[in-house]
Amino acid sequence: MLGLAVLLAAAVPHASTVRSPGPEHVSLTIYRDPMRRRQQAMNLRWLGGFALVTETRRIHVPAGDAVLGFEGVADGIIPASAIVTGLPGGTIEKNRDARLLSPAALIDGTLGREVTLRRIDRKTGKVNEERATIVAGPAQGVVLRTESGIETLGCSGLGESPRYDGVPEGLSAKPVLSVLTHSPQPADVTVGLSYLASGFDWSASYVANVAPGGASLDLFAWLTLANSNAQGFPDANVQAVAGRIERQDIREIAAQAAKLELHCYPLGTTTSDLPTIERYRRAAADSAEDIVVTGARRFAPMAYAVAAPPPPPPPPPPEDLGDLKLYRVPETVDVSPNGQKQVALLVQHRVRFEKVYRARLYSWAAVSGAPASVVLRMRNEEKSGLGIPLPAGTTALYQPRGDTRLLLGLGTIGDTAKGEKARLVAGVSRQILVDQTVQGRDRHVSVSNGNAFPVNLEVAIGMAGEQAYVDASAPLERIDGIQTWSVVIPANGSAKLDYRPRR
């Protein structure tokens, strides 16, 4: 059960073995996947972020050489990053036990040994048990030798499954980090364990509600945590880091648990070319099957009216972490295995904004009747109701209408520092139309406003940083690095711009 801890103890004469079943307290600092796009949802099968896991454990250290097995570390632990503090004799050696308990690992560890084969007749429900020897497996099917001869598991037409006499030596139900230490005397110590682990990610999701009157909005953001490890972290302190750090790929130690495959052979060919007993090992942690213990279903109790729980405390403002930003979750969080959790990231009320219309043109493309985008532009400053760093994420904009809320637009927002401008997309307007004609070197832009009130329109031309347009009939200012025509279109009116691309 101790895996590498047993091997270490055997390699060091008179070394004692001590197990730590789990931490007393854990803290997670989660870093985002820098390659995932803002609008891309997190996929639990492949999370490109990582976390710094910090644990506190209480453990008894015997005198002399001892192997300490820290159970319940994350599957994606990077052993080279592990730091253990608080041991009287320090750390001499550390190892990651990669042999995890799984259906395939049980077959692999029981090759050549007897198991109890339990069969259930699907029609009568009669249960029959007999002894069988596992001849081959787990890859390419499981071959058994019974009193009736050679057969393959799952091919008799009956519901059947093996029952094991015990857990094979060296298998562990949880990932284990084994540490070799030497203590001058026995002691009960508090140990700190910190390590990096893959299989984490987080994202921000903004929900904005336009206030009645349309002059301000309330901005709320969810922080979605994702954990693809089979290990959960209950009652954990969680921090999320926004920004990009220097990062190099590090080869992980995959759990040695192949996928259990059951194959049936044509009648009479089971014993043909029977392979010798060998250990099929294909390291593929993401293909390992979980051992699931089912329980009786309970009926939900009748619901009664109860008082609403108190609202959670407001999230604290972000903190500086070098050039990065750190967001703390004010309450402890149960981070589930292979799951996601949403917690409040920020709450800002009465954020003032400016409603503008935007269009995008390129000098080489003719455009006819293109609708303009509706954008709510905010300045990330205290006097505008913001003034905090905003991490990149998705946005959803709503506006009240009677007793309901109507969705105005879905979009994304980039990492926005204090003092920068942020935008929320509010759909497109067919009331504001843009045309561009191409005649030789001349470009003619015409815009129209079908509303009964004047509007502000920004027409961005070309690419960011480009100095490509001359002889414009109106000034072109640079907004977000793009030469832009800013114009106020009167009610039910129009405006025109003529320009030439630079040769």
Side-chain angles (χ1 to χ4, degrees):
M1 290 293 294
L2 291 181
L4 287 181
V6 176
L7 299 180
L8 280 177
V12 181
H14 310 296
S16 304
T17 299
V18 180
R19 300 174 61 183
S20 172
E24 294 184 350
H25 180 264
V26 63
S27 174
L28 297 177
T29 304
I30 303 177
Y31 294 76
R32 295 181 304 186
D33 178 5
M35 304 304 294
R36 180 173 53 82
R37 297 187 298 272
R38 295 192 296 267
Q39 69 273 20
Q40 184 179 3
M42 293 182 293
N43 185 355
L44 285 176
R45 294 184 178 181
W46 176 254
L47 296 179
F50 65 95
L52 172 62
V53 185
T54 303
E55 300 179 352
T56 301
R57 298 176 182 241
R58 190 71 180 169
I59 192 170
H60 175 77
V61 181
D65 293 327
V67 176
L68 310 180
F70 296 102
E71 293 186 346
V73 296
D75 308 355
I77 182 175
I78 301 174
S81 68
I83 300 175
V84 182
T85 60
L87 294 176
T91 301
I92 301 174
E93 186 176 315
K94 57 187 177 182
N95 294 273
R96 158 77 156 88
D97 185 355
R99 298 199 64 206
L100 297 180
L101 191 64
S102 71
L106 285 172
I107 294 291
D108 181 56
T110 320
L111 286 176
R113 302 180 185 179
E114 283 193 346
V115 296
T116 300
L117 184 60
R118 188 169 187 264
R119 287 177 170 146
I120 302 177
D121 191 303
R122 302 182 188 277
K123 293 183 178 180
T124 64
K126 182 180 179 181
V127 178
N128 180 44
E129 293 184 350
E130 62 176 314
R131 299 295 287 178
T133 301
I134 298 180
V135 177
Q140 301 176 4
V142 178
V143 181
L144 305 171
R145 180 185 291 113
T146 66
E147 293 182 356
S148 303
I150 299 295
E151 56 184 285
T152 52
L153 182 66
C155 301
S156 65
L158 304 175
E160 56 188 21
S161 60
R163 294 291 184 267
Y164 303 90
D165 298 333
V167 177
E169 184 179 351
L171 293 184
S172 173
K174 298 179 181 180
V176 178
L177 179 71
S178 299
V179 172
L180 176 62
T181 186
H182 180 88
S183 179
Q185 59 186 6
D188 292 322
V189 296
T190 299
V191 176
L193 172 62
S194 299
Y195 59 89
L196 297 177
S198 61
F200 292 89
D201 202 356
W202 72 273
S203 65
S205 303
Y206 295 87
V207 179
N209 291 284
V210 178
S216 66
L217 56 83
D218 293 333
L219 187 64
F220 178 83
W222 287 107
L223 171 63
T224 303
L225 310 171
N227 173 28
S228 63
N229 291 269
Q231 180 65 29
F233 301 90
D235 204 26
N237 289 110
V238 176
Q239 297 82 232
V241 176
R244 301 186 65 172
I245 65 173
E246 178 64 23
R247 183 179 175 189
Q248 300 292 331
D249 290 335
I250 299 177
R251 183 178 296 276
E252 303 172 16
I253 300 179
Q256 296 180 4
K259 183 179 181 180
L260 181 59
E261 301 177 358
L262 300 182
H263 295 277
C264 296
Y265 301 90
L267 189 63
T269 64
T270 307
T271 57
S272 302
D273 193 25
L274 183 65
T276 58
I277 297 176
E278 59 181 359
R279 298 183 179 271
Y280 297 94
R281 291 192 178 126
R282 295 184 301 172
D286 57 345
S287 64
E289 296 186 356
D290 296 331
I291 299 177
V292 181
V293 180
T294 60
R297 176 180 298 178
R298 292 185 176 183
F299 292 99
M302 184 178 296
Y304 295 94
V306 295
E319 306 170 23
D320 291 332
L321 183 64
D323 289 338
L324 308 176
K325 296 298 179 182
L326 184 140
Y327 298 82
R328 294 184 183 272
V329 178
E331 295 182 315
T332 57
V333 176
D334 291 335
V335 181
S336 303
N338 296 307
Q340 297 185 14
K341 169 78 71 174
Q342 281 191 325
V343 294
L345 176 64
L346 59 88
V347 179
Q348 297 294 121
H349 297 289
R350 295 181 294 278
V351 179
R352 291 190 294 275
F353 64 86
E354 175 191 10
K355 183 178 181 180
V356 297
Y357 296 85
R358 287 180 60 86
R360 188 70 177 270
L361 295 177
Y362 298 94
S363 62
W364 44 265
V367 175
S368 177
S373 300
V374 185
V375 177
L376 304 187
R377 186 165 56 198
M378 306 169 291
R379 176 71 69 173
N380 193 2
E381 297 174 342
E382 287 86 351
K383 63 181 180 180
S384 297
L386 279 177
I388 59 174
L390 303 176
T394 60
T395 62
L397 179 64
Y398 296 89
Q399 182 167 357
R401 179 64 61 89
D403 297 332
T404 62
R405 292 188 306 165
L406 299 179
L407 178 65
L408 295 183
L410 300 173
T412 62
I413 186 173
D415 289 322
T416 306
K418 293 178 61 175
E420 291 187 331
K421 289 181 292 187
R423 294 187 180 92
L424 297 178
V425 179
V428 297
S429 173
R430 296 295 306 180
Q431 299 296 103
I432 312 299
L433 301 179
V434 180
D435 297 273
Q436 177 172 268
T437 58
V438 178
Q439 295 177 349
R441 285 194 60 208
D442 296 325
R443 306 293 184 267
H444 306 286
V445 181
S446 176
V447 295
S448 61
N449 174 22
N451 293 304
F453 51 86
V455 299
N456 296 322
L457 175 65
E458 296 177 354
V459 181
I461 305 175
M463 307 293 291
E466 197 173 26
Q467 296 280 358
Y469 309 108
V470 296
D471 299 333
S473 60
L476 298 181
E477 61 177 323
R478 193 167 293 277
I479 298 178
D480 295 337
I482 305 176
Q483 287 184 287
T484 303
W485 175 38
S486 298
V487 59
V488 178
I489 312 176
N492 297 310
S494 62
K496 293 183 178 181
L497 170 72
D498 299 324
Y499 71 95
R500 285 184 175 183
R502 187 184 301 272
R503 287 187 182 275

